């Protein structure tokens, strides 16, 4: 914790369930202090960490992500695609659904 997070800020806490693909790509969620988003999902590759999605980003259709669920979890496919869930806040703000972020070539 305290290391620089991709996209800005520093890691302050890590999600409970990191995942590893068949090719060794790692994905996880993390809380971030001092960055543009309080919670992010990250894909780690040989080229280093890449922010996949974060609170504040938009999903297809344009809705803004308000929460990545109570206990943010990601899964990763063989090609490095990351799936994640978004949920509304306790006041009902934001979209709800399951989404996929495709791996970069």
């Amino acid at each position: 914790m305290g290391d620089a997070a991709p996209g800005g800020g520093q890691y302050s806490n890590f999600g409970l369930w990191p995942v590893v693909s068949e090719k060794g790509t790692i994905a996880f969620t993390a809380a971030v202090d001092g960055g543009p988003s309080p919670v992010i999902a990250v894909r780690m590759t040989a080229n280093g960490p890449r922010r996949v999605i974060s609170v504040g980003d938009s999903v297809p259709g344009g809705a803004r992500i308000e929460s990545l669920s109570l206990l943010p979890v990601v899964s990763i496919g063989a090609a490095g695609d990351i799936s994640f869930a978004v949920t509304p806040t306790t006041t009902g703000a934001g979209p709800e659904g399951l989404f996929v972020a495709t791996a970069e070539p």
Side-chain angles (χ1 to χ4, degrees), residues 2-94:
D3 290 346
Q10 298 82 35
Y11 293 117
S12 61
N13 202 339
F14 293 98
L16 300 176
W17 302 281
V19 292
V20 181
S21 76
E22 295 172 10
K23 295 181 180 179
T25 302
I26 299 169
F28 59 90
T29 58
V32 175
D33 287 340
S37 176
V39 180
I40 63 175
V42 176
R43 178 188 295 118
M44 294 287 293
T45 67
N47 297 325
R50 302 269 189 229
R51 185 181 62 82
V52 175
I53 196 79
S54 63
V55 170
D57 290 349
S58 295
V59 296
R64 184 177 175 271
I65 297 171
E66 298 289 338
S67 175
L68 288 173
S69 77
L70 179 61
L71 297 171
V73 175
V74 295
S75 65
I76 190 166
D81 297 341
I82 308 273
S83 64
F84 58 95
V86 299
T87 59
T89 64
T90 56
T91 61

